[in-house]
Structures are given as C-alpha cells and as structure tokens.
Amino acid sequence: GAVVSQHPSWVICKSGTSVKIECRSLDFQATTMFWYRQFPKQSLMLMATSNEGSKATYEQGVEKDKFLINHASLTLSTLTVTSAHPEDSSFYICSARVTVLHSSYNEQFFGPGTRLTVL
Amino acid sequence: RKEVEQDPGPFNVPEGATVAFNCTYSNSASQSFFWYRQDCRKEPKLLMSVYSSGNEDGRFTAQLNRASQYISLLIRDSKLSDSATYLCVVNSGGRRALTFGSGTRLQVQP
C-alpha cells in the first residue's frame, strides 16, 4: 500500500514551547490529509482536515490558533502545536487519502504517529 | 450517542479459538465500512473492508447489516499474533474523514 511518514516519531518538550509535526505521503500525492489525536485507551479523534492549497477544516472543540495546520504541497502537511501544555500530551497521527477519479475507491493510509510529551 | 460503538473488551481467548466482534453505527447514510487493527503504540492498519454481501480473507470474515446498522468481524483459529485492538471504522461518504470506534482489545493466550 501507499506509504505515509511522520516526523518526529516522538518528542518531549517543555510547557510553553511549540512543536511541529510533519506528515508526508512518500509515493503518492494527497490533496487531503487528516490529523487525529489519540489519548491512552481511547479511539482516534479527528482534529482537522488538511486540504492542499486552502485552509484546514477543524472539528468542533479544536482550537485552530493552537493547532496550526499547513498543507503547502501535495505531499506534505504540517501540524504545529503552539504553546504546548501537559494536557496536549498525546499520540498524533496523520493520514492521507488516496482517491481515484470516477471511482468510489477511497482508502486512507496512516502515518506511524508522533508521541508528544509536554513536561 | 457515539457515532460508532464497540465493546471495549478485553477479549481473552486461547489460541485456536474463534472470536467475534460487533460494532454498531448511528449514521444511516454511512457508505463505507472497515476493520482496522492497531497494535500498542502503533498506527492503525487496514485489516479489511466490509461489504454488504459479506467478505472473507483467510481466517477473517466481515459482515455488514445495513438494516440494523451493524458490522461484525469473526476471527477463526486465533493466533498469538492476532492480539491487538480492532477498530470498527465508518466513512460517511464524500470528502469526510473516517470515524473510528473506540476499539475492541483482543488478547490471545497460549
């Protein structure tokens, strides 16, 4: 299947700092990427939908000024957690969707995730 | 009510057992259905899509009942390597992201 990478795979930072997470589709172009967050023993929760060349669409309850998303190219989306606090500590996972024109094929491929710990 | 509901488990079964997971979804307009597998501290990986006619992939059988808005996954002859969390996933169509259930944890014991 298609490959999606994330960097970094884990990060530990001090409270108040900003952390940038990159999501790349390695062998395909993705006009749409998604950012999820997963707390321990809970399901993946969609944070935002990242569209290449336009503003991201945020889910209810997700602060767009705190979680900055940039999708500058068809293979790269970034999530920046600004002024991180301990409650932002979580597993952040991106996914990229492969779509085929005139087809219902619509599979998402997930990055390996980034584990953020804010002290 | 959650959009996708699953029994969190854990299901503790011996090797070789048959185990079934169930899932219900609330959005009757949902169009695509999947089972994903997630290992501890890893990303989810697609196990199989679920079709109305039911589909089988080796030891795994998935079924969909649109009238009852119910999805199932059957695992036969469980292996130790099947131990993971199984996520029921629904796509409501269009350009939307996937909606994940909270997952059912399976632990296969020797």
Side-chain angles (χ1 to χ4, degrees), chain A residues 2 23-24 26 35 41 47 50 54 57 60 62 74 94 96 100 102 107 111 115:
Chain A
C23 177
R24 292 181 186 272
L26 297 185
W35 287 96
K41 298 188 178 180
M47 298 176 67
S50 171
S54 65
T57 304
Q60 193 172 11
V62 179
L74 287 171
C94 73
V100 177
H102 309 300
E107 184 172 352
R115 192 159 300 280

Side-chain angles (χ1 to χ4, degrees), chain B residues 33 56 74 104:
Chain B
F33 309 89
E56 186 174 310
L74 183 78
T104 299

Side-chain angles (χ1 to χ4, degrees), chain B residues 33-45:
Chain B
F33 309 89
F34 310 91
W35 283 101
Y36 276 70
R37 169 192 170 131
Q38 186 175 24
D39 292 289
C40 189
R41 296 177 171 263
K42 300 282 189 180
E43 78 277 21
K45 293 190 176 176

Side-chain angles (χ1 to χ4, degrees), chain A residues 20-40:
Chain A
K20 180 188 279 190
I21 303 170
E22 293 186 349
C23 177
R24 292 181 186 272
S25 56
L26 297 185
D27 50 2
F28 66 101
Q29 294 182 331
T31 54
T32 304
M33 291 183 174
F34 303 96
W35 287 96
Y36 296 85
R37 180 167 53 183
Q38 186 177 32
F39 292 106

Side-chain angles (χ1 to χ4, degrees), chain A residues 51-108:
Chain A
N51 300 299
E52 187 268 336
S54 65
K55 290 182 179 179
T57 304
Y58 290 81
E59 294 298 300
Q60 193 172 11
V62 179
E63 298 175 57
K64 62 180 181 181
D65 294 330
K66 179 167 181 65
F67 298 99
L68 301 178
I69 291 174
N70 186 297
H71 194 155
S73 77
L74 287 171
T75 59
L76 173 65
S77 175
T78 61
L79 168 69
T80 301
V81 183
T82 62
S83 187
H85 288 96
E87 57 266 31
D88 298 323
S89 299
S90 187
F91 191 45
Y92 291 86
I93 306 175
C94 73
S95 73
R97 181 163 61 195
V98 175
T99 55
V100 177
L101 284 178
H102 309 300
S103 167
S104 60
Y105 181 77
N106 184 359
E107 184 172 352
Q108 286 189 31

Side-chain angles (χ1 to χ4, degrees), chain B residues 20-77:
Chain B
F21 304 140
N22 302 320
C23 165
T24 57
Y25 61 95
S26 60
N27 185 348
S28 59
S30 298
Q31 299 181 4
S32 307
F33 309 89
F34 310 91
W35 283 101
Y36 276 70
R37 169 192 170 131
Q38 186 175 24
D39 292 289
C40 189
R41 296 177 171 263
K42 300 282 189 180
E43 78 277 21
K45 293 190 176 176
L46 179 64
L47 180 65
M48 59 197 304
S49 301
V50 188
Y51 304 113
S52 297
S53 54
N55 49 299
E56 186 174 310
D57 183 1
R59 298 182 293 109
F60 299 86
T61 301
Q63 296 208 309
L64 166 66
N65 184 322
R66 285 188 183 269
S68 303
Q69 295 180 201
Y70 170 97
I71 306 161
S72 66
L73 175 67
L74 183 78
I75 305 176
R76 290 181 298 278
D77 188 24

